[in-house]
Amino acid sequence: MSTPVKGLRAAKVAETQERILDAARALFVRDGYHATTLTAVADRARVGHRTVYVRFGTKAALLRSVVDVAVGGDAEQRTVGERDWFQAALTESALQDRINALVDGNADLMARAGDLFEVALQAQASEPELAEAFQAGRADTRELMRRFVRAARADGLLAEVADPVWQEETVALAAQAESYLLLRRTTGWQQAEYRDWLRRTLVEVLAPA
């Protein structure tokens, strides 16, 4: 098979996958996890029913893929810790610039993935795979936020505090998806209000040197 033909085939495969993921996202958010079927996703994506089963296998695996794309903002195989916004949060010279990078990156992530996190939370009681994935996400977020605080401390950007672990854990809790979802449910806040709350919280918690 020639290289141009391979390239066209790869592009078609990628385009089909994108259609499936877009269709799945729309149905999961609109109808919820349990009411969404792989057949309905295939019909909305205008692909054969077998195509969805072959590519994803289960509905839980499909939702995980949809969430992964939403979290990253694209289909690139890069973790949150490898994303430009998080790297800026680790390396900017001023503390406020680090906070701004972290807040904007996290708030944008929640805007893309918040509705899907809600679906996954509802589904995890009956889907151990999703419960495990969500718990792994919590652990990853906690470790990334602790890394953010420790980097700022190591670079001399934070004042000494009596309880640095409290500082790390408070930032980690503020950045969790469930904190975002709870604030959205209880306050009715939109993205701008959440972004302002997170920025103010981090500024208050991370006393500058």
Side-chain angles (χ1 to χ4, degrees), residues 3 5 17 28 34 41 69 72 82-83 85 113 136-137 142-143 151 169 179 197 200 202 204:
T3 299
V5 172
Q17 179 144 321
F28 281 134
H34 296 292
V41 171
V69 171
E82 295 169 330
R83 296 286 170 170
W85 65 266
R142 177 172 178 259
E143 186 52 41
E169 297 296 355
S179 297
W197 171 83
R200 181 176 176 180
L202 266 58
E204 295 279 345

Side-chain angles (χ1 to χ4, degrees), residues 75-90:
E76 293 183 20
Q77 298 298 310
R78 288 195 294 159
T79 65
V80 170
E82 295 169 330
R83 296 286 170 170
D84 292 345
W85 65 266
F86 188 77
Q87 289 300 308
L90 295 179

Side-chain angles (χ1 to χ4, degrees), residues 40-63:
V41 171
D43 289 343
R44 186 181 178 98
R46 302 185 308 281
V47 301
H49 295 170
R50 178 172 166 75
T51 300
V52 179
Y53 284 95
V54 168
R55 289 178 185 271
F56 297 97
T58 66
K59 185 164 65 170
L62 176 57
L63 178 55

